[in-house]
């Protein structure tokens, strides 16, 4: 199941990697380019999605509203595709009658600015889900600035054990690198507002992996992340691409911290006039005769 919106540049490559899958569904959000047309030409079933501005958002809507003949769903973005090894591994999982796990985390082979990364920071994406046993829970993020039809980056919650594949999911965005910075500027807005709201932050923290929860508490995140990705995880072995990626994500964490401080300063300035006004009123001496009527 592939979710799209104006993805004509990458949809053909994504669907070509799914050629051996017996059912391919593209969930398109009113694309104005040739995404839906190209998907149909590739043999996919195209279902349109129009968001009503409420929960569920697009991923949860796919889990609950789209009928499919398969028990297992591979949920992808148009810039992702399984390697042949991953496709075979997923098929074996789906065909195993003794399989008791209800979801699988897929290690991601990431490309940044057109370059493949083999080292440094890496992520897993919980994308292979047994129908009816996973949920993108509503963790109350729709009030965040710029939040749209797709859930923020958090994992679906399983009702059962979770596995992890050996083979990898490829993430290869064909858009210019400026779009990466555009997205992460928006993501940093979300993160800053989340950190200013203790209840929302706790909801988000509960949806993260144990690694994500630990990193959420780390001080000096930009520096710590760069050292972790580029040095400890040997991102330097990817050459300039490894340096660029580690630095770009470090700047992302710096953006979050800077925006949090801006929000904190704004709140303090908004509260200051009320406090100052009350103090000034208290310090004004009563006019003659007013004390007698108090």
């Amino acid at each position: 199941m592939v979710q799209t919106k104006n993805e004509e540049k990458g949809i053909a490559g994504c669907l070509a990697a799914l050629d051996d899958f017996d059912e391919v569904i593209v969930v398109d959000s009113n694309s104005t380019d040739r995404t839906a047309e190209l998907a149909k030409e590739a043999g996919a079933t195209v279902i349109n999605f129009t968001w009503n501005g409420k929960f569920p958002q697009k991923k949860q809507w796919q889990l609950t509203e789209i009928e499919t003949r398969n028990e297992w769903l591979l949920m992808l973005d148009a810039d992702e595709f399984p390697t042949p090894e991953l496709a075979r591994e997923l098929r074996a999982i789906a065909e195993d009658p003794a399989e008791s796990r209800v979801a699988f985390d897929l290690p991601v082979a990431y490309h940044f600015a057109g370059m493949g990364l083999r080292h440094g920071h890496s992520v897993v994406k919980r994308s292979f889900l047994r129908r009816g046993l996973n949920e993108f829970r509503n963790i109350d993020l729709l009030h965040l600035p710029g939040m749209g039809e797709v859930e923020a980056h958090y994992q679906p919650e399983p009702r059962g054990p979770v596995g992890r594949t050996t083979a990898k999911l490829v993430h290869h965005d064909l858009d210019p690198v400026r779009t990466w910075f555009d997205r992460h500027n928006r993501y940093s807005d979300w993160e800053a507002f989340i950190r200013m709201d203790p209840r929302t932050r706790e909801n988000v923290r509960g949806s993260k992996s144990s690694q994500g929860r630990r990193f959420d508490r780390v001080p000096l995140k930009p520096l710590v992340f760069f050292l972790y990705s580029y040095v400890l995880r040997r991102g330097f072995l990817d050459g300039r691409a490894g340096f660029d990626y580690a630095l770009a994500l470090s700047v992302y964490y710096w953006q979050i911290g800077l925006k949090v401080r801006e929000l904190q300063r704004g709140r303090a300035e908004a509260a200051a006039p009320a406090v100052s006004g009350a103090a000034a009123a208290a310090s004004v001496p009563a006019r003659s005769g007013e004390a007698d009527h108090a």
Side-chain angles (χ1 to χ4, degrees):
M1 195 173 294
V2 185
Q3 57 182 19
T4 61
K5 182 173 184 177
N6 294 331
E7 296 283 359
E8 67 178 4
K9 186 179 293 186
I11 189 62
C14 172
L15 296 181
L18 302 175
D19 193 51
D20 289 338
F21 285 65
D22 61 354
E23 185 180 25
V24 178
I25 299 173
V26 170
V27 184
D28 186 63
S29 297
N30 301 292
S31 288
T32 56
D33 63 7
R34 298 182 62 234
T35 298
E37 178 185 345
L38 293 172
K40 291 175 182 177
E41 290 177 359
T45 299
V46 178
I47 297 174
N48 194 67
F49 171 76
T50 301
W51 187 44
N52 62 6
K54 303 177 182 179
F55 191 85
Q57 291 162 275
K58 193 171 185 179
K59 292 180 181 179
Q60 179 61 19
W61 185 87
Q62 293 174 68
L63 290 180
T64 58
E65 302 300 322
I66 294 181
E67 295 185 4
T68 172
R69 60 179 177 269
N70 287 288
E71 181 184 9
W72 286 89
L73 301 176
L74 175 61
M75 299 186 71
L76 301 175
D77 296 330
D79 56 9
E80 300 170 335
F81 58 88
T83 61
E85 294 79 10
L86 178 59
R88 288 193 293 270
E89 188 173 353
L90 297 180
R91 181 175 295 277
I93 292 169
E95 294 177 349
D96 183 359
E99 179 58 68
S100 61
R101 291 165 289 188
V102 303
F104 280 82
D105 293 340
L106 314 182
V108 177
Y110 198 82
H111 287 68
F112 181 71
M115 302 296 292
L117 303 175
R118 300 179 60 190
H119 306 279
H121 170 66
S122 61
V123 299
V124 297
K125 185 173 182 180
R126 188 164 299 158
S127 295
F128 196 50
L129 309 175
R130 196 189 292 266
R131 280 180 58 81
L133 294 173
N134 293 273
E135 177 186 18
F136 287 90
R137 183 170 56 88
N138 184 3
I139 56 175
D140 189 25
L141 300 181
L142 291 179
H143 64 285
L144 298 183
M147 177 59 66
E149 65 177 24
V150 179
E151 289 85 346
H153 290 170
Y154 62 94
Q155 305 277 34
E157 294 186 7
R159 294 199 295 273
V162 177
R164 177 170 173 158
T165 63
T166 302
K168 293 187 175 183
L169 177 71
V170 178
H171 180 285
H172 192 182
D173 187 355
L174 300 179
D175 289 329
V177 70
R178 64 173 173 77
T179 64
W180 187 96
F181 287 101
D182 289 343
R183 288 195 304 273
H184 281 74
N185 186 42
R186 186 171 71 253
Y187 298 160
S188 65
D189 285 345
W190 299 349
E191 290 288 348
F193 275 87
I194 287 170
R195 293 185 187 190
M196 292 293 290
D197 186 334
R199 182 178 61 83
T200 302
R201 186 172 186 178
E202 192 59 34
N203 283 341
V204 172
R205 182 182 288 143
S207 70
K208 291 183 176 181
S209 65
S210 58
Q211 177 181 346
R213 289 194 293 272
R214 288 195 299 270
F215 185 68
D216 187 58
R217 295 181 171 88
V218 169
L220 301 175
K221 283 184 176 59
L223 177 60
V224 170
F225 180 85
F226 184 84
L227 294 175
Y228 167 77
S229 181
Y230 192 66
V231 180
L232 184 62
R233 295 300 301 269
R234 301 186 300 169
F236 60 86
L237 293 178
D238 285 322
R240 183 55 186 262
F243 175 82
D244 288 342
Y245 183 58
L247 181 60
L249 274 176
S250 297
V251 170
Y252 166 63
Y253 290 116
W254 168 79
Q255 277 185 290
I256 295 171
L258 181 63
K259 291 178 179 181
V260 167
R261 292 190 293 275
E262 182 182 53
L263 290 172
Q264 290 171 335
R265 189 165 58 251
R267 286 190 181 182
E269 291 172 352
V275 174
S276 300
S283 65
V284 174
R287 292 194 299 270
S288 176
E290 285 184 347
D292 296 334
H293 299 287

